[in-house]
Amino acid sequence: MDIIFKRKSITTIFGCFFALFLHKICFADKICTVPSEPVTIQENNTADTVVVRINTITKDVTLNLTENPGNAFDLKGSELIAKKGLDFETLSGPEELTVQIRCNKTGHRSITLTVIVRVVNINDNPPSFDKSEYTLDVNELTPVNTSIALIEAIDDDSEVLYYSMEPTENRYFRLETMYTPNILVNKILDYDVIQQVKLILHVQDTPPPSQLVEHSFTASATIIVNIIDIDNRPPWFQPCTRVTTGNAKICLSLGYRVRVNLTEKQDGALQFQPGPVYARDGDKSRNEEISYKIVRGNEDNIFQIDEKSGNISMLKPADIAGPISLLVLASQVVNRDQFATTSVTIEVMKKSRNAPKFEKDRYEGYVYSNSGPENMVLRDRTSNRPIKVRARDEDFASGINPDVRYEVQYSSYVNITTDGFILLKKAVRTDSFALQLRAVDVSTGEIGTASLSVTVVPLGVQSPDEGYRAGDMALLGFVMAALLVLCLIVIGYLISRVKKGNPDAFKSECLGLFLKFTQPPNRPRDSMQLTNDGFLNEGDTGRSRSKRAELRERLDAVQAARVRVIPRKRQRHCSSCGLQTHTTHSHHSPAGQARGKANKHKVKSILAKERRKDDRQKTVWFKEREDSSDIEVEIIPDNIGLTPEEDMEKIEWDFASTQTEDSEMELGELTMLNIQDLSSRETAISDSREELNTERRDQ
């Protein structure tokens, strides 16, 4: 145990002495120190900027620079400083600089310290393009998304740049991404629509403004893109109508027309309508040379065409009247695959000897200041008759050429109809205007001209003897029509008053005529008094009642009717009343006189007439007394003695006849009755009354 303890003590003492020796040796070698990690300094620093501080054990340590890259550093005491401003972009080597410093102290061994200086790059340089303006040529119809150029900027401070391009709307080109300035076609280019596009390409060394966190440097460049017109369209005959189908454009021509005379050869180029035969390259900037050729319709070799100009002329006259149709081809000289065709129609016609000619060389017309569209130009101030122009053609016997069409030139106020009337298109705002009239023979193309001067007449200054205007005549016609209707109403009212308001007077006319024609000649007149009220009401048709009910009422009235009358011998018929009677004078009938003397109060019955089915008559029984004023007449119904079937047949026949008579009366009462008839009937009634009075006086 003792031996072992002694050995451990000796070992411990020996280790302590060895450690103390090593400590002295180490501290003797480290007379100065620097950080082992690299030190950083930003570029563009100022002079005397401290890079690192050197730690020394004593103040008498001497420091010397043994390695100084670019002579950029210096020692100031125990500090390593930057002797000048450092630029990251101008460093020839790596971005880390190595500086070595030697430390010396008397009695100590010299050591060398290594300082690693890392220069930090800051954003101090803007990006830049190689050129401020670029020019690019791009063919029209280049497919979409085709790249036309890659234009990049350079920035010494940054590896990532952000790009944008103007314009931002209706763009023909776009960028592939904001990081890649690859310019792509955005939509189809058409040289006829646009020939040049100007673009502005922007670049910045920081994210867009929405993400901006530090100062940003920018740059821009102008890009001019010229659109090149390629040979993609054939020749177009002129004039033509452009039509767009998708991305393709075509121009449609309606062809050419001309007229020539039969059996006549026209010298020089034919004058076609709407213009000479001419085609130009559809690609207007290329303007390729065009050649012409007749490919069909010239089998008789009547016409020829100039290959360069397209002018068509005649080699010989045409001997057949009618249209000749030619098919003309126009193609490019360099590229025959680009061609087009059109139709040429030549009308061969008989020669016209006279052109249309107006009846006057100069016309004068008038309009009122308040005239509006569709109003006619008038021929003079004193009437409302419109002016009418007409052109005559002496090639026609009547002077009227059906192929003449009228036109107006040099005026926007009027139009002309095919009949030669002049119509206003709008209100006239001037005191007068002039224009030229043309009469065109559409079959021959011949033209006749005349001038027209139109004067605007103010309202209120018309001549006193000026005729009535259309409005005045219309008003007069309306007043005349109203007066005529009023007269018809008054006449109808008077007739209705005569027929309905005073029926006794109307019936007295019938009885007056009856008495007049039944009075025997050279005989004393007897008095007569009618008291048959049912007969007086018979003339009233009763339109408000049905015909069948009316007929039944008539039959009932006839059965109940009683008449007091002096019987007469002669038979008369009142056509207007519809009543036929049979009478016998008492002093001409011996049997009657005998019976009157025997008993003057004895009643004598006489059957006036045998009944006939086809006569519309009433049968009357007379009861005669000595006193003629007390003679009674009884009307016997016509259906007495008839079977029921015959009775019904007669009623239906009377009903149909009544309907026919009433219809005729309704249709003709206004036309057949007149004031003169009423007067004549009143005269007849007066005569009848006088006869009655005379007979009474005689008795």
Side-chain angles (χ1 to χ4, degrees):
M1 293 293 293
D2 293 339
I3 295 174
I4 294 173
F5 179 75
K6 288 180 180 180
R7 286 180 179 177
K8 289 182 178 180
S9 300
I10 294 172
T11 303
T12 301
I13 294 170
F14 179 77
C16 290
F17 279 107
F18 183 73
L20 180 62
F21 175 75
L22 290 177
H23 181 267
K24 289 183 178 180
I25 292 176
C26 292
F27 278 94
D29 293 336
K30 294 294 184 180
I31 59 177
C32 60
T33 60
V34 292
S36 59
E37 297 83 4
V39 295
T40 60
I41 182 174
Q42 288 187 347
E43 67 171 334
N44 300 330
N45 60 285
T46 61
D48 299 334
T49 300
V50 176
V51 179
V52 67
R53 182 179 294 277
I54 303 171
N55 298 320
T56 60
I57 59 175
T58 59
K59 295 183 179 181
D60 56 351
V61 175
T62 305
L63 302 174
N64 295 312
L65 289 173
T66 58
E67 186 177 346
N68 187 6
N71 197 24
F73 303 96
D74 197 3
L75 291 171
K76 185 177 181 180
S78 60
E79 295 177 344
L80 178 65
I81 64 174
K83 187 177 181 179
K84 60 181 181 179
L86 301 177
D87 187 2
F88 180 85
E89 290 77 25
T90 60
L91 295 178
S92 57
E95 60 184 18
E96 293 182 350
L97 301 177
T98 302
V99 179
Q100 291 185 350
I101 304 172
R102 187 173 185 78
C103 297
N104 298 312
K105 182 176 173 53
T106 303
H108 292 74
R109 190 174 57 181
S110 299
I111 62 173
T112 301
L113 302 175
T114 301
V115 179
I116 304 238
V117 180
R118 181 175 294 168
V119 180
V120 178
N121 185 24
I122 64 174
N123 187 17
D124 61 342
N125 294 297
S128 62
F129 291 97
D130 291 341
K131 297 184 293 183
S132 61
E133 183 173 313
Y134 296 83
T135 301
L136 305 175
D137 293 333
V138 180
N139 290 335
E140 65 172 340
L141 304 180
T142 299
V144 176
N145 294 328
T146 301
S147 176
I148 62 171
L150 176 63
I151 301 176
E152 294 182 302
I154 301 173
D155 189 353
D156 295 333
D157 297 326
S158 176
E159 294 181 355
V160 180
L161 296 176
Y162 305 90
Y163 296 90
S164 64
M165 188 169 62
E166 294 180 1
T168 58
E169 296 180 358
N170 194 26
R171 297 181 301 176
Y172 287 95
F173 303 95
R174 63 180 178 86
L175 292 176
E176 183 176 358
T177 65
M178 66 182 302
Y179 309 103
T180 306
N182 187 20
I183 302 176
L184 305 179
V185 176
N186 191 47
K187 63 180 181 179
I188 294 295
L189 303 171
D190 186 355
Y191 182 84
D192 293 339
V193 177
I194 187 169
Q195 294 80 39
Q196 188 180 82
V197 178
K198 182 179 180 180
L199 305 174
I200 299 178
L201 182 63
H202 298 280
V203 63
Q204 63 185 45
D205 53 12
T206 57
S210 60
Q211 307 175 18
L212 186 62
V213 294
E214 57 180 314
H215 182 66
S216 177
F217 290 97
T218 62
S220 62
T222 302
I223 304 173
I224 304 298
V225 182
N226 295 318
I227 311 301
I228 304 303
D229 191 11
I230 63 175
D231 188 13
N232 66 308
R233 294 194 180 102
W236 288 348
F237 282 97
Q238 304 298 312
C240 62
T241 303
R242 294 193 179 188
V243 179
T244 301
T245 304
N247 295 327
K249 289 186 177 181
I250 58 178
C251 205
L252 302 178
S253 174
L254 299 179
Y256 302 88
R257 304 176 304 278
V258 72
R259 294 182 178 88
V260 297
N261 293 327
L262 181 66
T263 67
E264 287 187 5
K265 177 180 175 295
Q266 185 171 328
D267 296 333
L270 299 178
Q271 302 300 315
F272 288 91
Q273 293 294 332
V277 178
Y278 168 72
R280 65 173 180 83
D281 191 354
D283 305 306
K284 60 183 180 181
S285 68
R286 300 181 67 87
N287 198 23
E288 297 287 348
E289 184 180 357
I290 307 297
S291 64
Y292 303 89
K293 183 180 180 180
I294 299 176
V295 296
R296 190 178 64 193
N298 194 30
E299 289 77 8
D300 295 335
N301 293 324
I302 299 176
F303 306 97
Q304 67 176 0
I305 189 170
D306 190 299
E307 291 188 359
K308 293 184 177 181
S309 64
N311 290 331
I312 297 178
S313 57
M314 299 183 67
L315 295 175
K316 59 182 180 180
D319 54 0
I320 299 176
I324 299 176
S325 297
L326 306 178
L327 184 64
V328 176
L329 171 72
S331 60
Q332 294 182 7
V333 175
V334 176
N335 183 9
R336 294 291 181 180
D337 291 333
Q338 298 287 14
F339 67 90
T341 60
T342 189
S343 62
V344 176
T345 303
I346 302 170
E347 288 282 349
V348 180
M349 307 185 67
K350 295 180 180 180
K351 185 177 181 180
S352 174
R353 301 180 181 276
N354 298 280
K357 184 178 181 181
F358 284 95
E359 294 176 342
K360 296 181 181 180
D361 293 334
R362 179 180 177 83
Y363 292 89
E364 292 184 357
Y366 301 88
V367 296
Y368 294 109
S369 58
N370 63 339
S371 299
E374 303 303 326
N375 283 12
M376 289 186 175
V377 178
L378 306 179
R379 60 186 298 178
D380 51 46
R381 294 174 178 263
T382 60
S383 69
N384 289 317
R385 291 180 296 177
I387 189 173
K388 181 178 180 181
V389 300
R390 186 172 61 177
R392 299 181 59 84
D393 192 337
E394 298 300 331
D395 293 336
F396 294 82
S398 63
I400 305 301
N401 184 350
D403 295 326
V404 169
R405 301 292 182 269
Y406 297 106
E407 299 176 357
V408 173
Q409 287 186 318
Y410 315 128
S411 177
S412 60
Y413 283 119
V414 298
N415 280 329
I416 187 170
T417 66
T418 56
D419 296 326
F421 293 103
I422 314 296
L423 300 178
L424 289 177
K425 294 194 299 183
K426 58 183 180 180
V428 181
R429 303 303 181 188
T430 61
D431 295 335
S432 63
F433 61 93
L435 53 96
Q436 186 180 58
L437 303 174
R438 295 195 344 150
V440 181
D441 188 343
V442 295
S443 62
T444 63
E446 296 174 320
I447 299 174
T449 60
S451 62
L452 172 63
S453 298
V454 180
T455 302
V456 179
V457 180
L459 294 177
V461 296
Q462 304 172 8
S463 302
D465 57 346
E466 184 175 0
Y468 290 105
R469 304 176 66 178
D472 300 335
M473 299 303 294
L475 180 60
L476 179 60
F478 176 78
V479 173
M480 296 291 290
L483 292 176
L484 178 60
V485 171
L486 183 60
C487 291
L488 293 176
I489 292 173
V490 172
I491 293 173
Y493 175 75
L494 294 176
I495 293 174
S496 64
R497 286 293 302 273
V498 171
K499 291 184 60 179
K500 297 181 180 180
N502 191 8
D504 294 339
F506 185 75
K507 295 301 180 179
S508 299
E509 174 189 359
C510 298
L511 295 178
L513 294 176
F514 170 77
L515 296 176
K516 180 177 180 180
F517 290 107
T518 57
Q519 181 70 28
N522 302 322
R523 297 289 183 181
R525 298 181 179 179
D526 296 329
S527 62
M528 177 179 178
Q529 183 179 359
L530 177 65
T531 60
N532 190 352
D533 297 333
F535 176 76
L536 293 176
N537 294 330
E538 186 180 339
D540 190 358
T541 59
R543 295 188 179 96
S544 62
R545 297 173 301 175
S546 65
K547 299 300 182 178
R548 187 174 296 275
E550 177 188 356
L551 182 59
R552 184 64 61 187
E553 291 177 1
R554 287 184 177 181
L555 293 175
D556 295 340
V558 169
Q559 293 175 0
R562 298 186 64 84
V563 179
R564 289 189 305 168
V565 66
I566 297 175
R568 296 179 180 271
K569 184 178 181 180
R570 298 188 62 182
Q571 169 183 324
R572 288 295 182 266
H573 176 260
C574 179
S575 60
S576 60
C577 299
L579 174 65
Q580 183 170 349
T581 61
H582 304 270
T583 61
T584 304
H585 280 280
S586 59
H587 57 275
H588 287 283
S589 177
Q593 291 178 358
R595 285 189 291 268
K597 293 179 180 179
N599 188 0
K600 64 177 180 180
H601 297 288
K602 187 177 181 179
V603 177
K604 178 182 178 182
S605 299
I606 302 173
L607 182 61
K609 187 179 182 181
E610 295 294 332
R611 178 184 291 108
R612 291 188 303 174
K613 292 184 179 180
D614 57 343
D615 290 340
R616 299 182 59 194
Q617 302 172 354
K618 292 181 176 60
T619 304
V620 182
W621 281 98
F622 293 90
K623 294 181 181 181
E624 183 177 357
R625 294 183 181 179
E626 194 67 27
D627 185 6
S628 61
S629 62
D630 196 23
I631 295 176
E632 296 182 358
V633 178
E634 182 178 357
I635 299 176
I636 302 174
D638 291 344
N639 58 354
I640 292 179
L642 296 178
T643 64
E645 292 78 6
E646 294 175 344
D647 186 17
M648 194 63 196
E649 179 182 358
K650 185 177 189 323
I651 291 174
E652 291 177 353
W653 186 88
D654 289 341
F655 174 74
S657 300
T658 304
Q659 281 188 322
T660 303
E661 290 179 354
D662 289 344
S663 300
E664 293 176 355
M665 187 62 184
E666 289 173 357
L667 294 174
E669 61 181 356
L670 292 179
T671 55
M672 299 297 295
L673 294 178
N674 51 49
I675 303 301
Q676 184 175 1
D677 291 337
L678 293 176
S679 300
S680 62
R681 293 186 180 186
E682 289 178 358
T683 303
I685 292 171
S686 300
D687 294 341
S688 299
R689 289 177 178 175
E690 291 179 0
E691 291 176 357
L692 289 174
N693 295 331
T694 303
E695 290 176 354
R696 289 175 181 176
R697 287 194 298 269
D698 293 341
Q699 292 177 359

